[in-house]
Amino acid sequence: MTALLTTANWSSSHWIKALRAADPGRNFVLHGVDEYDPASVRYALTWKPPEGLLPSLPNLEVIFNLGAGVDAVLSDPDLPDVPLVRLVDENLADRMTEWVTWQVLTHHRQGLAYLDQQHNRLWRVREQPIAADVRVGFLGYGVLAQNAAGIVRALGYQVSAWSRSPKEADVPIFAGEAGLAPFLGQTDILVVLLPLTDATREIVDARLIDALARDGALGGPVLINAGRGGLQNEDDILAALVDGRLKGASLDVFQTEPLPTDHPLWGAPNLIITPHCSAISDPASVSRYVSRQMAAYERGEPLINVVDRTRGY
Amino acid sequence: MTALLTTANWSSSHWIKALRAADPGRNFVLHGVDEYDPASVRYALTWKPPEGLLPSLPNLEVIFNLGAGVDAVLSDPDLPDVPLVRLVDENLADRMTEWVTWQVLTHHRQGLAYLDQQHNRLWRVREQPIAADVRVGFLGYGVLAQNAAGIVRALGYQVSAWSRSPKEADVPIFAGEAGLAPFLGQTDILVVLLPLTDATREIVDARLIDALARDGALGGPVLINAGRGGLQNEDDILAALVDGRLKGASLDVFQTEPLPTDHPLWGAPNLIITPHCSAISDPASVSRYVSRQMAAYERGEPLINVVDRTRGY
């Protein structure tokens, strides 16, 4: 009865150590390093598993996905029909909040322009709107976005959100297809935190960018995407940065990762690129979460945070 | 009965317009632009007034300082012996909180290193401690620091503060001379928000830097100064950045402002320089504050936020 770990290019040795520390009584093996009998594997703990690995495990009972997004694992046509558990890590939400708050502040407080002045040894105070005059809109209002919105509101920004279906929330919600254009029309800084589904693929395109507010205190709209690269049309974003329809952008995710060295986005103006590091799972806390779930499952209790495959998240 | 405005190199026309809009019944004149009789001036609204101007006003009753710091005006040996009112602007505190939070996040989330990677088209995820493992210490815990600490705590950082005298607070307080070394020894990111007095002049020197924690999650201490340039020994800060005793720094204030073009700090590694823009007064809200105080004073009510000249703030 083995739990199998596979983490693509992450630091696997760090992960296997954290899992063994969190749950010393269990047999954890690392795919590609440890010997193991495929028939003994009951749990798979995966991030971007190698093709064909999961279907080769005849007695697999549960898959734990080691990241918040499950689009990569759901896109596998050979995905075994067993419960797929999503990672819900408070730690992850707090890290995403750090990154989103940081990017909102950097654009609001003109960080790139001031760094540029610094490189040129130029001392010049720039006109600066207050946070209360800047409207931050969250496209997608799940756990991560709600956590980030709490801090962004506390900083004084005007916050609203768009959600696929109407929901009770602590900020004004625009819902469904009909709510999208009105939502974008009152948004100065757009924070994209949607799941990637067929309905959201490349939703961030020229049409969406052109629907953002242009009458705001920043002098133009800003795009922040910490969701998934598949949500964005990168040609459209590049064009909007070059011709100024976007005042600035922060992208942590891309259609192809790592972003290829010759990709034109590397040279785009007013763009901050981070290498999909906005919210990295903390091995220690994720290991405790997985261990707790396996123990509960073995006591006959239901698994929590199981992915609904028809919704896609 | 005139109120005289002098704002050094700020945008005076903007200020005089805001004052006249806030209090249309009063005669505001702009020094150097408008004609006025010195004997008619009852109030001076000043930021770095020209030498000799204030003593030349025989009927001056109140000086309103248009910034949070009063060291510039207190250092004037000819300062008339009339009440000096400090600016306490909620807006100003919120703007300082934006700047401090932004700088804390930038250092914690390795903003300069990631920008450097971006310039080199390098995709590499860096090890990243969580906020809960980073200790932010406020040197000085007045209104501005308390406001910023609220957000920094909400982001999950461990927050403490040093204060000249013991005080009740929502974070652990280290007080007085005896508390300084223990405070510094458990601080990873030091946020300096002290008033500039004889006791605090150049308090940020090699000795203070060397007393900061070196066992923290960031791999070295970070200095953030948004107080006054006179608080810092700039040779010591430069040396500590060059030899790595400081992992990074953000300075918004300098001994000489504007920072001279040939100043070596412009070329220091891991340093973010902003041009004393962390908390710029918003003319509209400051004008309302000054107008309210003048009206109350004329009704015979006491002025609020009057500077204690012996304490220096």
Side-chain angles (χ1 to χ4, degrees):
Chain A
M1 206 170 87
T2 296
L4 176 68
L5 173 70
T6 169
T7 66
N9 58 347
W10 290 2
S11 51
S12 307
S13 61
H14 205 62
W15 275 86
I16 197 86
K17 213 172 124 183
L19 284 163
R20 287 169 179 156
D23 198 348
R26 203 175 286 278
N27 183 36
F28 289 99
V29 297
L30 178 57
H31 178 73
V33 171
D34 298 316
E35 294 281 316
Y36 67 94
D37 172 9
S40 75
V41 174
R42 189 161 164 187
Y43 306 106
L45 287 51
T46 71
W47 180 247
K48 298 188 178 166
E51 208 181 306
L53 174 63
L54 295 179
S56 78
L57 307 170
N59 299 312
L60 184 64
E61 291 183 31
V62 183
I63 302 168
F64 292 94
N65 191 58
L66 298 180
V70 291
D71 43 285
V73 61
L74 283 184
S75 70
D76 180 353
D78 297 326
L79 183 66
D81 188 21
V82 301
L84 171 65
V85 174
R86 201 174 60 244
L87 179 66
V88 177
D89 180 2
E90 259 185 53
N91 221 305
L92 208 74
D94 289 344
R95 293 188 144 190
M96 180 61 86
T97 295
E98 295 166 10
W99 189 87
V100 167
T101 306
W102 174 35
Q103 297 306 321
V104 167
L105 282 166
T106 299
H107 288 288
H108 167 216
R109 296 298 302 242
Q110 310 179 70
L112 291 178
Y114 274 122
L115 271 182
D116 197 52
Q117 288 189 191
Q118 181 179 343
H119 290 313
N120 293 302
R121 301 184 172 220
L122 174 62
W123 181 279
R124 188 164 76 78
V125 176
R126 306 176 66 88
E127 291 227 2
Q128 182 58 59
I130 61 178
D133 287 339
V134 177
R135 299 163 297 179
V136 178
F138 285 85
L139 187 63
Y141 205 57
V143 175
L144 295 181
Q146 289 170 36
N147 200 63
I151 297 287
V152 171
R153 282 174 73 203
L155 276 163
Y157 295 95
Q158 295 174 47
V159 175
S160 67
W162 179 87
S163 166
R164 200 172 58 98
S165 43
K167 62 168 78 180
E168 290 271 315
D170 47 1
V171 302
I173 295 283
F174 297 74
E177 197 124 342
L180 187 56
F183 164 73
L184 297 170
Q186 53 90 64
T187 293
D188 298 316
I189 298 181
L190 181 72
V191 179
V192 182
L193 275 170
L194 285 169
L196 180 59
T197 67
D198 285 340
T200 63
R201 195 169 305 280
E202 299 205 12
I203 190 173
V204 181
D205 60 4
R207 217 176 116 210
L208 178 142
I209 291 166
D210 289 340
L212 288 165
R214 251 140 248 289
D215 59 348
L218 299 180
V222 169
L223 167 69
I224 295 175
N225 186 6
R228 281 284 175 266
L231 298 169
Q232 68 199 14
N233 181 311
E234 292 173 354
D235 291 343
D236 286 2
I237 292 171
L238 178 62
L241 284 166
V242 168
D243 71 15
R245 273 173 302 133
L246 277 177
K247 181 107 200 295
S250 294
L251 304 179
D252 185 51
V253 289
F254 299 88
Q255 291 275 5
T256 304
E257 294 179 4
L259 187 64
T261 308
D262 60 354
H263 198 290
L265 274 177
W266 285 116
N270 304 315
L271 173 62
I272 294 170
I273 290 176
T274 56
H276 205 147
C277 65
S278 57
I280 310 164
S281 301
D282 179 39
S285 77
V286 171
S287 296
R288 288 189 297 269
Y289 167 84
V290 168
S291 167
R292 273 197 313 272
Q293 284 246 50
M294 291 190 291
Y297 174 73
E298 288 162 13
R299 287 193 305 267
E301 297 169 17
L303 292 162
I304 55 172
N305 300 318
V306 175
V307 172
D308 178 339
R309 296 196 187 189
T310 58
R311 282 195 314 178
Y313 59 93
Chain B
M1 205 169 89
T2 296
L4 175 69
L5 173 70
T6 169
T7 66
N9 58 346
W10 289 1
S11 51
S12 309
S13 62
H14 205 62
W15 275 87
I16 197 85
K17 214 172 124 182
L19 284 162
R20 287 169 180 158
D23 198 347
R26 202 174 288 277
N27 183 36
F28 291 99
V29 296
L30 178 57
H31 179 74
V33 171
D34 298 314
E35 294 281 316
Y36 66 93
D37 171 11
S40 74
V41 174
R42 189 161 165 187
Y43 306 106
L45 288 50
T46 72
W47 181 248
K48 298 186 178 166
E51 208 181 304
L53 174 64
L54 294 178
S56 78
L57 306 169
N59 298 311
L60 184 66
E61 292 184 28
V62 185
I63 302 169
F64 292 95
N65 190 57
L66 298 180
V70 291
D71 44 284
V73 60
L74 283 183
S75 70
D76 181 352
D78 297 325
L79 183 66
D81 187 22
V82 300
L84 171 65
V85 175
R86 201 173 61 244
L87 181 64
V88 176
D89 181 0
E90 260 186 52
N91 219 307
L92 209 74
D94 288 344
R95 294 188 141 188
M96 180 61 86
T97 295
E98 295 166 12
W99 190 88
V100 167
T101 306
W102 173 36
Q103 296 306 322
V104 167
L105 282 166
T106 298
H107 288 287
H108 166 219
R109 295 299 301 245
Q110 309 180 70
L112 290 178
Y114 275 122
L115 270 182
D116 199 49
Q117 289 190 188
Q118 180 179 343
H119 290 313
N120 293 303
R121 299 183 173 222
L122 175 63
W123 181 279
R124 188 163 76 78
V125 176
R126 306 175 68 88
E127 291 227 3
Q128 182 58 60
I130 62 177
D133 287 339
V134 177
R135 300 163 296 180
V136 178
F138 286 84
L139 187 63
Y141 205 57
V143 175
L144 294 181
Q146 289 170 35
N147 199 61
I151 296 287
V152 171
R153 284 174 73 203
L155 276 163
Y157 295 95
Q158 294 175 48
V159 175
S160 67
W162 178 87
S163 166
R164 200 172 59 98
S165 44
K167 61 167 80 180
E168 290 272 315
D170 46 2
V171 302
I173 295 283
F174 297 75
E177 197 126 342
L180 187 56
F183 164 74
L184 297 169
Q186 53 90 63
T187 293
D188 299 314
I189 298 181
L190 181 72
V191 179
V192 182
L193 274 169
L194 285 169
L196 180 61
T197 67
D198 284 342
T200 63
R201 195 170 304 280
E202 298 205 11
I203 189 173
V204 182
D205 60 5
R207 217 177 117 210
L208 178 142
I209 291 167
D210 290 340
L212 287 165
R214 253 140 248 287
D215 59 350
L218 298 180
V222 169
L223 166 69
I224 296 175
N225 187 5
R228 280 283 174 266
L231 297 168
Q232 68 200 13
N233 181 312
E234 292 173 353
D235 291 343
D236 286 2
I237 292 172
L238 178 63
L241 284 166
V242 167
D243 71 16
R245 273 173 301 131
L246 276 178
K247 181 107 197 301
S250 295
L251 304 179
D252 185 51
V253 288
F254 300 88
Q255 292 274 5
T256 303
E257 296 181 4
L259 188 63
T261 307
D262 60 353
H263 198 288
L265 274 176
W266 285 114
N270 305 314
L271 172 62
I272 294 170
I273 290 177
T274 56
H276 207 149
C277 65
S278 58
I280 311 163
S281 301
D282 179 38
S285 77
V286 171
S287 295
R288 287 190 296 268
Y289 167 84
V290 168
S291 167
R292 272 197 312 272
Q293 285 247 51
M294 291 190 291
Y297 175 73
E298 288 163 12
R299 287 194 302 268
E301 297 168 19
L303 291 162
I304 56 172
N305 300 316
V306 176
V307 172
D308 178 337
R309 295 194 186 191
T310 57
R311 282 193 315 177
Y313 58 92

